[in-house]
Amino acid sequence: MRISASRRAVLAAGLALAASPLPKPAIAQGAPLRIGVITTLSGPGGYLGADARDALQLAAEMNGGRLGDVPVQFVVEDDALRPAQGKQIAERFLRNERIRLFTGVIFSNVLGAVVPDILDADGIYVSCNAGPSNFAGRECRRNYFVVSWQNDNLHESAGALANIMGYQRVFILAPNYQAGRDALTGFKRLFRGTITNEVYTRLDQTDYAAEMAQIRAARPDAVYHFHPGGLGIAFIRQYAQAGLLGTIPQVLPAPSMDVVTLAAVGDAAEGVDVSSHWNSDFDNAESRRFVDAFRRRYNRMPTYYAQQAYDTALAIGAALRGTGGSVSDPEAFRTAMLRADFPSTRGNFRFGPNQHPIQDWYALKVERVGGQLALVTKRKILENHSDAYAAQCRI
Amino acid sequence: MALLVEQLLNGIQLGVTLFLLAAGLTLVFGIMGVINLAHGSLYMIGAFAAAFVAAETGSVLLALLGGLVAAGLTGMAIEFVVLRRLYARDHLDQVLATFGLILFFNQGMVILFGRQPIFVALPPFLAGAVEILPGVPYPVYRLLIIVLGLLVALGLWFLIQKTRIGALVRAGATHREMVRALGVDIRLLYTLVFGLGALLAGFAGVMAGPVYSVNVGMGEQILILTFVVVVIGGVGSIRGAMFGALLVGIVDTMLRAYVPGLLRTMMDASQADMLGAGLASMGVYLLMALVLLLKPRGLFPAHA
């Protein structure tokens, strides 16, 4: 009797672990315009959300606590990479806190749960990272804007880069979730060679030994993999340990190799090719201003998650300036937003017909700069690149 | 054939890592009747402490020692400060309290080390790969994990089967009341057992550091699989934990390695990959359900 009770308890414990919300009280104040930031602050993806949050706050601080002449306050909560938790936070923000304007979500699966609720309640969502395909095409929405990129773009650019590098046979991997499937679709869209294997890993996977063995057996010209945050660190380190580093080159999208992954991976990253829409060495005034301010304020290099969030804050600021600081009229906000009247850290930026960016993509390479490994911008891969779903969007 | 051997080794290596975690969890649950969700935190503490010591001193041995000491001491402190008050309580209270500990330790690590995953260097003499079969290089470090893990399993078997402490542990697992009635200081035994479990978790963390990513929340990622191992092996049974861990490790690895390929022969490639990935990640949970159906108390139940 005792035993069966305890077994049930073990199972219940596992269940509790898999689906436990971590509620935190929100900070509420009166005067400034409050912007809901639902982001991932815990778990292996925690630094992504922390970078986004820090950059949003930095953008406001650099303008005296204002975005577009409007005093703003960010109300930040951790979704712990759980869609259900993100949804709960969104509902609470909408109903109890009366917040109308949202940003912050890092992961596409969380975004999928959060955004419909916000938009159905006449709220506005401006994405600073995730841009899943399902909201970019037929189901695009008037009050949903993406400042970062449509997910596929990251991987289309990596596919284009693989073409430039002259690779014929490529082994591709991504975690089995919305953004992972978008990744492989995106890579295949522009890559002209053949795909030797297409492998879906798990979003909670830490050990990639089985995949390494498959890669070695397939003998491709190159490996492309999309593993954001801690996943990528584990993958690339194990890639080096399996002795694949010297034999099979990697072509990576930006999420698999940001400055944090680079530091955690160490020497195993040298010589890796990466595609991205921005890099900390970009030579334009706004980017330099942002990188300097971020490093001074937080004493670390910003990742592109920070850069996108900073751009998002600027975009929101531009829209707020257009509406005189009001978010009660979504149509006026939309008109102002779509002008994209702000100096982007990536230089060339405008919104396409589906309210996703049209921008340039670049090739980066991990090289030693003064003895330290760093991402160095090499060349432009794609110019004024939109996405494959824009044509299906009717708004 | 060479690929099969390599994948088998990969499965064993994952299994050994899981065993180190599951052994502590199953002991604590079997003997003390406590569900310790914070077991993953001890794994994390071991990994962080070892990474910290390694970065400060550059010594592999000191790093190992640091990780073990940190995890072991934290474990005993948890037992002394928190769990002691919970033995008589309901399992739900224990789950709540140890879940609270997860939050506490995760936030503590964020304060101490930040959210960024930290880098753990492999000592140069372990960095390479050796050819286990012609044309199949295998990372030395993974071989080391397998060897050390099996040695620990052997040591644990010796400790539990051949020593007086082990006899008490076994007795505690089957007839707790009787052990108490015979005048054994059960509280001391509990602290020791918990410390041992923590030590093993810390060891797993230290070993995992250079292979996996060392970051806050790394314990919860692996803990779910560890619970699966404990349930399959039979709660409270070290032998069960060993077989359960190897079974889960090998099944999980083999499914990931071969199911998509198998499905590719039957259907369109990208559909096969998608379905295969889904089936492979369900695999160990299906296995758990199957085991529960056929042997509701696990493969090697400790309580006769």
Side-chain angles (χ1 to χ4, degrees):
Chain A
M1 192 59 213
R2 197 183 77 79
I3 296 156
S4 78
S6 32
R7 175 171 313 282
R8 229 175 293 132
V10 172
L11 291 172
L15 216 63
L17 202 69
S20 45
L22 314 164
K24 263 187 289 175
I27 310 150
Q29 269 176 24
L33 173 71
R34 289 183 310 154
I35 302 177
V37 180
I38 302 169
T39 195
T40 305
L41 294 172
S42 52
Y47 79 87
L48 315 186
D51 251 28
R53 176 200 60 193
D54 291 350
L56 288 169
Q57 265 152 5
L58 177 71
E61 278 172 28
M62 284 166 74
N63 293 301
R66 290 156 187 272
L67 289 179
D69 307 328
V70 184
V72 292
Q73 185 200 355
F74 294 105
V75 186
V76 185
E77 286 221 25
D78 177 19
D79 61 43
L81 221 175
R82 297 197 183 103
Q85 190 163 327
K87 193 177 163 73
Q88 281 174 8
I89 299 170
E91 282 169 4
R92 187 150 38 79
F93 276 3
L94 283 165
R95 211 175 303 139
N96 302 352
E97 311 269 340
R98 307 264 169 219
I99 293 174
R100 318 303 314 161
L101 180 58
F102 293 81
T103 182
V105 174
I106 298 290
F107 288 89
S108 295
N109 50 345
V110 180
L111 190 92
V114 164
V115 159
D117 280 350
I118 294 175
L119 300 185
D120 289 348
D122 261 343
I124 299 165
Y125 188 84
V126 187
S127 182
C128 65
N129 193 63
S133 58
N134 45 341
F135 294 140
R138 214 162 275 129
E139 289 177 52
C140 62
R141 304 277 293 260
R142 292 177 81 81
N143 298 337
Y144 169 75
F145 309 88
V146 177
V147 178
S148 45
W149 20 256
Q150 197 279 313
N151 284 355
D152 298 26
N153 293 160
L154 294 164
H155 314 289
E156 289 161 355
S157 59
L161 181 57
N163 292 334
I164 294 172
M165 307 292 294
Y167 299 133
Q168 298 296 321
R169 303 170 64 252
V170 176
F171 191 118
I172 62 178
L173 310 98
N176 195 6
Y177 77 123
Q178 184 62 48
R181 291 188 288 271
D182 285 355
L184 298 193
T185 315
F187 184 87
K188 288 188 285 187
R189 187 171 295 127
L190 292 192
F191 178 60
R192 287 192 294 267
T194 48
I195 304 291
T196 60
N197 295 64
E198 189 176 335
V199 170
Y200 286 100
T201 55
R202 279 203 305 262
L203 203 48
D204 60 353
Q205 196 165 327
T206 50
D207 194 302
Y208 297 95
E211 287 76 13
M212 297 305 157
Q214 285 172 277
I215 292 172
R216 186 177 301 110
R219 297 177 189 286
D221 293 344
V223 169
Y224 154 86
H225 61 90
F226 165 61
H227 285 115
L231 301 174
I233 295 168
F235 189 95
I236 296 168
R237 303 214 66 195
Q238 292 171 31
Y239 195 84
Q241 285 161 10
L244 290 168
L245 198 64
T247 49
I248 304 171
Q250 298 169 79
V251 178
L252 304 182
S256 297
M257 184 56 78
D258 58 48
V259 287
V260 173
T261 3
L262 180 58
V265 167
D267 291 345
E270 191 168 359
V272 168
D273 288 296
V274 185
S275 72
S276 184
H277 62 294
W278 178 83
N279 190 26
S280 52
D281 68 356
F282 266 27
D283 193 24
N284 67 60
E286 194 57 36
S287 175
R288 276 197 305 266
R289 201 164 92 90
F290 160 67
V291 173
D292 286 348
F294 192 93
R295 292 183 66 178
R296 252 202 322 276
R297 174 73 173 78
Y298 300 110
N299 205 17
R300 62 175 197 265
M301 282 297 276
T303 58
Y304 75 87
Y305 300 97
Q307 169 265 331
Q308 291 163 184
Y310 181 80
D311 268 8
T312 302
L314 297 189
I316 289 175
L320 288 177
R321 194 176 305 121
T323 63
S326 154
V327 289
S328 52
D329 180 1
E331 276 308 308
F333 185 89
R334 175 166 181 261
T335 315
M337 182 64 143
L338 289 179
R339 280 203 296 271
D341 184 20
F342 67 96
S344 168
T345 50
R346 52 198 116 169
N348 195 0
F349 179 96
R350 64 194 159 92
F351 282 111
N354 57 347
Q355 307 179 171
H356 284 58
I358 296 181
Q359 58 187 330
D360 302 340
W361 289 83
Y362 298 85
L364 320 179
K365 201 176 186 72
V366 179
E367 287 180 346
R368 274 190 196 281
V369 181
Q372 291 275 13
L373 284 177
L375 283 159
V376 179
T377 309
K378 287 293 171 188
R379 60 187 292 179
K380 198 177 273 189
I381 313 171
L382 298 167
E383 192 152 18
N384 285 326
H385 187 62
S386 173
D387 60 83
Y389 309 99
Q392 297 164 21
C393 172
R394 304 251 174 274
I395 39 178
Chain B
M1 184 57 209
L3 188 62
L4 187 72
V5 173
E6 189 181 352
Q7 296 291 27
L8 205 62
L9 274 179
N10 288 334
I12 293 173
Q13 186 253 313
L14 177 61
V16 162
T17 310
L18 285 176
F19 166 71
L20 291 176
L21 280 163
L25 202 62
T26 202
L27 267 183
V28 168
F29 190 73
I31 295 165
M32 300 151 68
V34 168
I35 299 171
N36 178 24
L37 287 187
H39 202 64
S41 298
L42 297 166
Y43 168 78
M44 174 180 73
I45 287 168
F48 268 97
F52 178 72
V53 174
E56 292 292 312
T57 66
S59 156
V60 182
L61 220 59
L62 281 181
L64 176 65
L65 210 65
L68 292 181
V69 169
L73 286 183
T74 313
M76 291 210 264
I78 290 178
E79 200 276 339
F80 195 76
V81 178
V82 181
L83 289 184
R84 223 160 239 213
R85 286 149 232 289
L86 296 172
Y87 291 136
R89 298 278 200 90
D90 188 39
H91 281 312
L92 187 63
D93 292 350
Q94 300 168 353
V95 166
L96 280 177
T98 50
F99 184 72
L101 285 173
I102 293 185
L103 301 183
F104 174 78
F105 283 117
N106 278 350
Q107 201 53 39
M109 284 298 161
V110 168
I111 292 168
L112 285 176
F113 294 96
R115 287 193 174 84
Q116 274 80 359
I118 55 176
F119 173 74
V120 190
L122 259 186
F125 60 97
L126 294 174
V130 284
E131 290 211 4
I132 40 164
L133 284 172
V136 184
Y138 198 76
V140 179
Y141 189 74
R142 283 183 188 264
L143 285 177
L144 182 76
I145 294 181
I146 296 177
V147 172
L148 287 182
L150 292 179
L151 281 180
V152 168
L154 206 67
L156 214 52
W157 171 82
F158 183 81
L159 181 76
I160 296 207
Q161 296 297 327
K162 303 286 175 192
T163 64
R164 188 178 151 73
I165 297 249
L168 288 176
V169 166
R170 272 180 294 145
T174 41
H175 296 291
R176 195 182 341 179
E177 303 306 319
M178 188 59 90
V179 176
R180 195 175 293 168
L182 287 174
V184 175
D185 184 354
I186 201 96
R187 296 203 341 173
L188 184 66
L189 183 68
Y190 281 3
T191 311
L192 282 178
V193 166
F194 202 85
L196 179 66
L199 210 61
L200 291 171
F203 184 61
V206 174
M207 298 308 287
V211 187
Y212 305 157
S213 151
V214 176
N215 50 31
V216 173
M218 65 188 281
E220 287 77 75
Q221 270 180 317
I222 200 156
L223 191 61
I224 294 178
L225 215 51
T226 310
F227 268 115
V228 172
V229 167
V230 170
V231 170
I232 287 180
V235 170
S237 158
I238 290 282
R239 196 155 53 121
M242 185 72 207
F243 282 97
L246 286 178
L247 193 65
V248 166
I250 291 172
V251 165
D252 188 57
T253 306
M254 288 301 168
L255 286 178
R256 272 193 288 143
Y258 292 108
V259 166
L262 215 61
L263 289 175
R264 264 165 176 256
T265 59
M266 286 180 262
M267 58 179 85
D268 166 61
S270 89
Q271 258 181 333
D273 290 325
M274 198 92 96
L275 186 65
L279 283 178
S281 50
M282 276 195 294
V284 288
Y285 302 101
L286 285 179
L287 180 71
M288 178 175 78
L290 198 71
V291 168
L292 283 180
L293 202 65
L294 298 177
K295 302 196 75 169
R297 284 155 56 195
L299 294 176
F300 300 91
H303 305 264

